Amino acid sequence: MEKKRIAVIMSVYKKDVVEYVQMSVESILGQTYQDFDLYIQYDGPIRTEVDEYFNGLVDERVKIQRRDVNKGLAQSLNDLLAIVMPLGYQYIARMDADDISEPNRFEKQMAYFEGHPDIECLGTWAVEIKSSGEEYFKKQMPETHEGCLEQFRKRDCMIHPTVIFRRSYIEKAGMYDLDTFFGEDTMMWAQGFAAGCKMGNVPEFLFRFRIDDNFFDRRRGWRYAKGIWQLRHRVNKMLGFGVIEDAWAMAYAIVKMMPKSVLSIIYQKGRTVKE
């Protein structure tokens, strides 16, 4: 049997709700570009109704991997990469279990890859939505590699679940780092930059990124601030950045200790993209 060009990797865990999971999976299965398989990792026990939904899927493209112990997103993605990389897929796409891909996401990204053979990690812009589905914020990222690198001096330049990797990216940058509190995606971008990989973003809103009701509560506080500082300082040393980048990292960490109302305002106002 001829192998599909794209392996889509997704992790599900106990807090994922069936309504969002179904919307996420169906947004992948309904892509206009159909040359893919979807690999799903159970990261420990999941809700009964979510398991029943997956058990009821009749689609040979869906491959379920089950694990009884929760080991976190980075380990789940590494487990899936360990499965799909030896199978010869040329592209590995990310997806999260509560987000929605627009129907032409893969088609647009694959066309962009064809026109930009140097790009090895390609994301998209995203519309952030609330739990209700209401639009919250339109999030843009730099299109060019140079713009991505410049933005990465301060903050992430890719929206993790929107990306498609060429297999060469994984071969050069390696698997997800397991030694981070929460920033496995940030470290993955750092590994890519350090390995000389080229990155970019399709300048179109091809994704809906769900922000749940506890989004800002989960992304603030002393532990989160400390984790940001440690992660960004480590990234800065890895890429040869200096004191200016460390100052940005410290400022970012301080912001994460502010009240939720202030954090929400900063989150929207402080993210203008410049190429």
Side-chain angles (χ1 to χ4, degrees):
M1 180 183 299
E2 183 180 357
K3 186 58 62 179
K4 300 289 196 300
R5 294 189 76 196
I6 302 176
V8 186
I9 57 176
M10 173 194 291
S11 176
V12 295
Y13 79 131
K14 63 182 180 181
K15 292 187 178 181
D16 288 320
V17 299
V18 68
E19 176 187 0
Y20 298 158
V21 170
Q22 183 173 353
M23 294 172 70
S24 175
V25 170
E26 291 183 357
S27 79
I28 294 297
L29 299 181
Q31 288 290 303
T32 56
Y33 184 97
Q34 288 282 301
D35 196 8
F36 66 85
D37 290 315
L38 172 59
Y39 288 81
I40 296 168
Q41 175 69 61
Y42 283 22
D43 185 16
I46 65 172
R47 295 185 179 186
T48 300
E49 57 268 30
V50 176
D51 185 50
E52 291 174 348
Y53 166 69
F54 283 124
N55 289 334
L57 280 177
V58 182
D59 193 315
E60 63 179 11
R61 295 172 297 176
V62 179
K63 325 288 185 182
I64 306 292
Q65 316 297 317
R66 293 173 171 83
R67 184 176 64 230
D68 294 332
V69 179
N70 176 269
K71 296 185 178 181
L73 178 60
Q75 184 62 64
S76 293
L77 297 180
N78 283 348
D79 289 347
L80 292 173
L81 286 172
I83 292 171
V84 304
M85 286 296 286
L87 295 177
Y89 292 96
Q90 293 305 302
Y91 298 88
I92 295 90
R94 278 283 293 114
M95 186 61 189
D96 277 346
D98 56 355
D99 299 329
I100 301 169
S101 290
E102 298 299 342
N104 60 345
R105 173 195 163 191
F106 289 173
E107 181 180 350
K108 292 278 190 177
Q109 286 180 284
M110 295 303 287
Y112 196 97
F113 273 127
E114 291 295 322
H116 301 79
D118 59 323
I119 297 296
E120 295 173 279
C121 178
L122 181 64
T124 79
W125 293 354
V127 176
E128 295 177 339
I129 59 175
K130 299 179 182 179
S131 294
S132 62
E134 177 187 355
E135 181 179 316
Y136 177 74
F137 184 79
K138 287 186 174 179
K139 188 172 185 179
Q140 302 178 37
M141 290 295 186
E143 178 181 359
T144 66
H145 175 76
E146 293 74 20
C148 286
L149 180 58
E150 182 61 28
Q151 178 161 311
F152 196 63
R153 291 177 177 273
K154 301 177 182 178
R155 53 191 169 89
D156 283 354
C157 57
M158 315 291 289
I159 303 169
H160 189 197
T162 73
V163 304
I164 299 180
F165 301 103
R166 290 189 197 267
R167 68 176 294 113
S168 60
Y169 189 99
I170 307 300
E171 291 168 346
K172 294 176 183 179
M175 300 285 205
Y176 285 88
D177 191 301
L178 300 178
D179 188 25
T180 63
F181 164 49
F182 63 91
E184 62 279 332
D185 52 343
T186 299
M187 187 54 64
M188 188 56 132
W189 317 143
Q191 291 167 201
F193 282 123
C197 297
K198 299 292 185 182
M199 305 185 195
N201 287 284
V202 178
E204 297 184 49
F205 295 103
L206 301 176
F207 199 84
R208 279 175 278 169
F209 184 97
R210 194 179 304 276
I211 296 177
D212 63 38
D213 297 334
N214 298 318
F215 181 79
F216 292 108
D217 284 328
R218 289 186 288 103
R219 294 180 177 232
R220 60 178 297 276
W222 166 247
R223 186 181 180 209
Y224 200 89
K226 179 181 177 182
I228 282 177
W229 163 250
Q230 292 175 334
L231 174 64
R232 294 302 311 198
H233 181 61
R234 180 180 167 194
V235 165
N236 292 341
K237 289 181 65 176
M238 179 189 302
L239 298 181
F241 295 161
V243 293
I244 294 177
E245 288 77 16
D246 271 352
W248 276 107
M250 182 59 70
Y252 191 16
I254 291 172
V255 164
K256 293 300 184 179
M257 291 188 288
M258 293 183 177
K260 184 172 68 172
S261 59
V262 176
L263 184 59
S264 177
I265 295 171
I266 294 174
Y267 185 76
Q268 292 195 54
K269 300 296 185 182
R271 300 190 298 169
T272 302
V273 173
K274 296 181 180 179
E275 282 286 358

